[in-house]
Amino acid sequence: MNKVEEFSSTKQEHPSLILTEQGVKDIRANLGRIPIFDKTLEATKVEVDAEIKNGFDVPLPKDYSGGYTHETHKKNYVLMQKAGVLYQILQDEKYAKFVKDMLFEYAKEYPKWPIHPKPRSYARGKLFWQCLNDSNWLVYTSQAYDCIYDFLSEDERNILENDLFRPFADHISIHNLKFFNRVHNHATWGNVAVGMIALVMDDDVLLERALSGVENADYDPNEKDDDGGYIRKEGQAIGFFANVNDPFSPDGYFTEGPYYQRYASYPFLIFAQALQNKRPEQKVFQFKDSVLIKSVNALLNLSDKDGEFFLLNDSQKGMSYFNSSLVSAVDIAYHFGGNNPELLSIAKKQDEVTLDDAGLAVALGIKEGKEKPFVKKSIELSDGANGDEGGVAILRSYGLELVFKYTAHGLSHGHYDKLSFALFEDGNEVVQDYGMGRFVNIEQKGGGNYLKENKTWARQSIAHNTLVQNETSHFKGKYDIGSKYHPTKYVFSVTDENLQVASAKDDKAYPGTRLHRTMVAIKDEAYETPYILDIMRVVSDSSNQYDLPFYFLGHVMQANFEYSKMPVPEILGKSDGYQHLYKEASASVKEGNITLNWLRNNKFYTYTAITSNADEVIFGRIGANDPDFNLRNEQTLILRKKNVKDALYVSTIESHGRYSPVSELAVNAYSNIKKVSVVYDSKEYTAIKIDTKNDKSKVFIISNQKNDKDLEHKLTIKNKEYIWKGAYQLIEN
């Protein structure tokens, strides 16, 4: 049999996407005895009942994100999905009638509507300003249609399918090939939208379109989207499975970063669930060594103690695994991924489940007490389809979480921040990544879309905690260049919880310049909290100016160097993000150490950095050339070295004390580190000595050229011989 014959000959049942006939029976049989499911069901019923009472609107589309028509159509598809599920579970026809009436209103209006009047998108929808949101609508509405399918007559189904669903699917696919035929979260939503409605309508032609894309040989390989990313690479596979294969590494890391992985997780996993239920022969959950199941575990590990996702690439602060997309992802991964009991502990924190077969499985697992803690450990996640395009390391040590980024660019949502880092303690940012320049779905800020400052500031290298050469962003801030390259992992070792090391190199961000950064989490038994050692080596063919910004969050308590605060701040530069920084104070420093002590969330922190003669320290603040107040006015300290070829930046970051506003007492408010010094530096080795205030010292040595973990090294420093095996060693001096 060919695909169409095989598909058409199978018995079709409804519902069969996220709910199955047997699943509905099991849910009804357990109602009243599954607390988390019952609670979610009741909350959903209250919400939908209120909306049914109020009535619905299907307005002529005209607004950007946050506007009335946008938010109304968005609310409609969510309500239809929920009402459809309520109809199946509660068997109350008022929910089916609500969905039916709304669908017929859309079927009446949709053929009349022109392309959305807002022109910003490269692929404009009809309900929304971009096909992406139209695809959201169809993904959710397909589930509603599946739930009321048998409630409708054949004639009614024909009207909906011919006047609404098929034209809708055609618009986001064959009429918008540059949206549909790509590898990107946009295309994922488009592929899944077409695939979901295909499964409901038993349309094998549409299903094949969703799985394999639409063949078109005349696409322009130089065409880009609104964010500056290429629409499609020459020879690139398209369709749903291509969107699973290419952006996910074998570890489950999604190259666009966790914020967009969260967004794309819903279509990836909801369609996988539907395919598994209706087309199990596709073996979607086994594809690429079960990468979709792995992706859920990876995404959960890319969150801090409070479940908020780390800010890699375009990201909005505060997004967390409490988002509805992750409720679905966790439930589906549990149900179809072998019932991992650790996922139950996440679901328990989320305090809700999906109202379907997967949600029932989770609810029963929690009821039966099967959950185990989801323990976030130090982890490295590779990037790239084959796992060979760098990665991201997370060092977790006694409450500290250091995120070290050496990934590929991340498609059109990438930032120019090779070898950057951010630091968290107990779920709070201490050293930040700015995130993105956008106020999502807040209409008064650019229609809720990306602001121009996302490109001019948030994506530029100076906006991150990484080295900037000659006030120019990595790869000249050009996607065409940056998308071709990635850093190289050098070391990742976390077997010793008291000494965790991540190290990576990059020689493409600036031609003729080699960067090597090593980040170490060290737990000294004499002190309560670990400290971070940061070593950035720069080797260049020419003399340059180097800036290393440090975006600490909190209130400055004290600095050990004299600086001049300017009566009127100056704008730091003209382009590459520098035009958005004010220079508020500066100092010329000599050889030795500078320290910056600050307070954040009633905790004390100290940054200690090694300086050379004529180094400049700049206190900067974000907010210059920002007429619409789109940027957060946050501070940075920049350590600048001028007219040098090679440079070595070494610093430590400590968390070391507390302040109580109740007792008004400060405890351990000063640094525990007396001095940081370079005791050896060559092409082959770098050795850093850390003297602490208890009159002890440690020496950290790293081999700069050879990272073989079994290779023995021997180095003499000031008549003392050090012998060790592996790329690095920490030695009590």
Side-chain angles (χ1 to χ4, degrees):
M1 287 186 180
N2 61 34
K3 289 182 181 178
V4 174
E5 290 172 333
E6 180 183 11
F7 185 58
S8 298
S9 65
T10 59
K11 181 179 181 293
Q12 301 308 324
E13 299 175 343
H14 297 277
S16 57
L17 299 187
I18 64 168
L19 279 166
T20 61
E21 286 190 333
Q22 185 60 48
V24 171
K25 292 176 183 176
D26 292 340
I27 289 170
R28 292 173 184 164
N30 281 281
L31 287 180
R33 299 193 300 272
I34 39 177
I36 193 172
F37 195 101
D38 293 333
K39 177 182 176 181
T40 305
L41 180 64
E42 180 59 27
T44 304
K45 183 178 183 301
V46 169
E47 177 190 0
V48 176
D49 284 351
E51 294 294 339
I52 291 176
K53 184 177 180 180
N54 292 335
F56 62 82
D57 186 19
V58 178
L60 176 68
K62 67 182 182 67
D63 297 323
Y64 277 130
S65 306
Y68 174 76
T69 66
H70 182 101
E71 294 306 311
T72 299
H73 291 299
K74 183 176 177 180
K75 181 178 75 170
N76 285 349
Y77 68 67
V78 172
L79 286 172
M80 282 193 284
Q81 191 272 345
K82 290 180 177 181
V85 169
L86 290 177
Y87 168 63
Q88 284 294 328
I89 295 173
L90 301 177
Q91 298 176 288
D92 188 334
E93 291 190 354
K94 74 175 181 180
Y95 298 113
K97 185 176 185 303
F98 178 74
V99 176
K100 172 186 172 180
D101 290 347
M102 192 182 294
L103 284 179
F104 269 88
E105 188 66 19
Y106 273 105
K108 182 180 75 173
E109 298 298 329
Y110 185 82
K112 306 175 191 175
W113 287 339
I115 302 301
H116 196 281
K118 295 296 186 185
R120 184 177 293 179
S121 177
Y122 74 102
R124 288 153 70 181
K126 293 186 71 176
L127 273 66
F128 301 92
W129 66 277
Q130 56 177 347
C131 280
L132 174 60
N133 297 101
D134 278 35
S135 299
N136 294 171
W137 187 93
L138 190 54
V139 169
Y140 281 82
T141 303
S142 297
Q143 298 169 54
Y145 183 43
D146 181 45
C147 285
I148 70 159
Y149 190 91
D150 291 331
F151 176 78
L152 301 169
S153 69
E154 183 177 353
D155 287 343
E156 288 171 332
R157 293 195 295 267
N158 286 336
I159 292 171
L160 291 177
E161 293 180 10
N162 293 327
D163 293 355
L164 179 60
F165 293 132
R166 294 184 194 281
F168 203 111
D170 287 346
H171 178 74
I172 60 177
S173 56
I174 59 177
H175 298 158
N176 280 279
L177 293 177
K178 58 187 178 181
F179 164 79
F180 193 77
N181 278 357
R182 42 181 326 201
V183 170
H184 192 278
N185 77 76
H186 287 193
T188 298
W189 276 99
N191 298 158
V192 168
V194 172
M196 292 286 278
I197 198 63
L199 289 175
V200 184
M201 299 190 303
D202 305 329
D203 187 326
D204 218 45
V205 174
L206 276 183
L207 183 60
E208 181 62 22
R209 186 187 302 176
L211 298 179
S212 304
V214 179
E215 286 300 322
N216 66 313
D218 58 348
Y219 68 90
D220 181 359
N222 296 312
E223 193 167 22
K224 296 182 180 180
D225 64 15
D226 306 317
D227 299 311
Y230 285 114
I231 297 295
R232 185 174 165 193
K233 296 178 184 177
E234 193 164 353
Q236 186 174 51
I238 53 177
F240 176 74
F241 282 109
N243 271 283
V244 177
N245 184 69
D246 288 8
F248 283 109
S249 78
D251 296 327
Y253 177 77
F254 187 64
T255 193
E256 294 182 49
Y259 180 81
Y260 275 95
Q261 182 171 346
R262 173 274 322 171
Y263 179 60
S265 284
Y266 186 80
F268 274 125
L269 288 158
I270 207 75
F271 188 44
Q273 180 181 24
L275 279 174
Q276 186 65 30
N277 285 334
K278 291 206 69 168
R279 298 295 301 270
E281 70 276 7
Q282 292 288 342
K283 297 181 178 179
V284 62
F285 283 113
Q286 286 75 50
F287 182 75
K288 196 177 177 177
D289 194 26
S290 303
V291 74
L292 286 178
I293 300 298
K294 289 180 179 179
S295 74
V296 178
N297 183 75
L299 187 51
L300 293 173
N301 270 293
L302 286 164
S303 67
D304 67 18
K305 179 184 176 182
D306 298 329
E308 294 187 3
F309 297 123
F310 299 131
L311 300 166
L312 302 171
N313 299 329
D314 284 341
S315 309
Q316 178 165 256
K317 289 179 186 283
M319 178 55 70
S320 75
Y321 61 50
F322 294 98
N323 179 270
S324 60
S325 294
L326 264 294
V327 173
S328 294
V330 167
D331 292 0
I332 293 168
Y334 176 80
H335 185 48
F336 293 98
N339 301 137
N340 176 4
E342 293 184 10
L343 293 177
L344 295 178
S345 67
I346 301 294
K348 201 169 184 179
K349 289 180 181 178
Q350 293 170 330
D351 199 29
E352 63 176 304
V353 293
T354 52
L355 299 178
D356 56 22
D357 299 29
L360 175 64
V362 168
L364 289 172
I366 292 173
K367 178 189 175 185
E368 294 163 8
K370 294 180 178 179
E371 76 265 17
K372 293 182 180 179
F374 189 97
V375 180
K376 297 177 187 176
K377 300 177 181 179
S378 296
I379 191 172
E380 181 187 40
L381 297 169
S382 62
D383 195 4
N386 299 314
D388 56 0
E389 297 180 25
V392 58
I394 304 168
L395 303 184
R396 291 185 163 100
S397 181
Y398 300 91
L400 290 184
E401 295 176 305
L402 182 132
V403 185
F404 181 35
K405 182 188 178 191
Y406 43 97
T407 64
H409 188 68
L411 303 180
S412 60
H413 287 296
H415 287 193
Y416 300 96
D417 61 336
K418 300 308 175 193
L419 308 187
S420 68
F421 82 97
L423 182 66
F424 298 74
E425 183 173 22
D426 294 331
N428 296 305
E429 282 184 295
V430 178
V431 183
Q432 72 154 336
D433 184 293
Y434 185 86
M436 65 186 182
R438 182 182 182 186
F439 294 81
V440 181
N441 287 332
I442 298 178
E443 186 180 22
Q444 55 268 44
K445 280 295 187 184
N449 303 313
Y450 281 103
L451 302 164
K452 67 181 187 302
E453 289 82 7
N454 195 58
K455 292 181 180 179
T456 60
W457 166 252
R459 291 184 175 179
Q460 301 299 322
S461 300
I462 192 60
H464 303 83
N465 301 296
T466 190
L467 186 126
V468 183
Q469 178 175 298
N470 298 329
E471 299 186 21
T472 302
S473 286
H474 299 172
F475 311 111
K476 301 180 182 179
K478 294 184 178 180
Y479 177 83
D480 300 21
I481 305 172
S483 61
K484 296 177 182 178
Y485 304 111
H486 56 82
T488 303
K489 167 190 171 179
Y490 189 67
V491 172
F492 179 78
S493 177
V494 296
T495 53
D496 182 352
E497 66 177 354
N498 296 320
L499 178 64
Q500 302 183 43
V501 181
S503 183
K505 295 184 175 184
D506 185 275
D507 61 1
K508 296 294 193 298
Y510 298 108
T513 298
R514 276 78 65 195
L515 307 177
H516 182 187
R517 193 169 206 170
T518 301
M519 308 212 74
V520 190
I522 301 171
K523 177 64 169 70
D524 189 320
E525 62 182 12
Y527 301 109
E528 179 183 355
T529 310
Y531 59 88
I532 303 299
L533 172 63
D534 178 11
I535 305 170
M536 171 74 89
R537 297 187 78 249
V538 188
V539 178
S540 184
D541 298 336
S542 59
S543 295
N544 302 287
Q545 173 186 291
Y546 301 121
D547 290 336
L548 187 60
F550 181 71
Y551 285 91
F552 64 99
L553 290 173
H555 198 99
V556 173
M557 294 288 101
Q558 186 182 60
N560 75 336
F561 55 92
E562 293 186 6
Y563 53 87
S564 299
K565 190 166 184 182
M566 308 174 73
V568 179
E570 295 178 354
I571 296 174
L572 192 58
K574 296 181 178 179
S575 65
D576 293 72
Y578 281 78
Q579 75 275 24
H580 290 302
L581 277 174
Y582 284 119
K583 180 179 179 180
E584 293 191 326
S586 64
S588 292
V589 294
K590 297 180 180 180
E591 184 174 335
N593 286 175
I594 61 165
T595 63
L596 174 71
N597 179 261
W598 76 98
L599 186 67
R600 167 76 164 162
N601 292 323
N602 292 320
K603 292 187 178 183
F604 290 100
Y605 299 90
T606 297
Y607 166 81
T608 302
I610 297 175
T611 54
S612 303
N613 288 329
D615 282 357
E616 182 182 1
V617 179
I618 298 169
F619 281 103
R621 188 171 298 276
I622 306 163
N625 289 301
D626 181 25
D628 299 320
F629 298 99
N630 288 334
L631 296 172
R632 302 191 304 270
N633 301 137
E634 294 160 340
Q635 61 204 335
T636 184
L637 181 147
I638 300 171
L639 186 54
R640 171 171 286 180
K641 298 179 183 290
K642 294 182 179 179
N643 197 30
V644 294
K645 289 177 65 177
D646 303 341
L648 182 64
Y649 285 89
V650 180
S651 62
T652 57
I653 310 168
E654 303 167 79
S655 169
H656 55 71
R658 296 173 180 82
Y659 175 74
S660 170
V662 177
S663 66
E664 297 183 327
L665 290 176
V667 178
N668 196 22
Y670 293 93
S671 168
N672 296 315
I673 291 177
K674 184 188 300 181
K675 184 180 180 182
V676 183
S677 54
V678 179
V679 292
Y680 191 92
D681 187 45
S682 71
K683 179 180 179 182
E684 288 77 23
Y685 300 100
T686 296
I688 307 301
K689 184 182 178 186
I690 303 166
D691 295 304
T692 51
K693 289 183 177 176
N694 58 357
D695 295 322
K696 293 186 178 181
S697 66
K698 289 180 168 65
V699 174
F700 179 83
I701 308 174
I702 185 165
S703 166
N704 295 322
Q705 300 294 326
K706 298 177 180 179
N707 60 356
D708 188 333
K709 64 181 180 179
D710 297 319
L711 184 66
E712 185 172 275
H713 299 268
K714 184 184 296 185
L715 180 65
T716 300
I717 304 173
K718 295 181 179 180
N719 299 319
K720 183 173 181 178
E721 188 174 65
Y722 297 88
I723 300 174
W724 75 96
K725 183 182 285 188
Y728 66 90
Q729 182 64 286
L730 181 70
I731 302 162
E732 296 285 348
N733 206 34

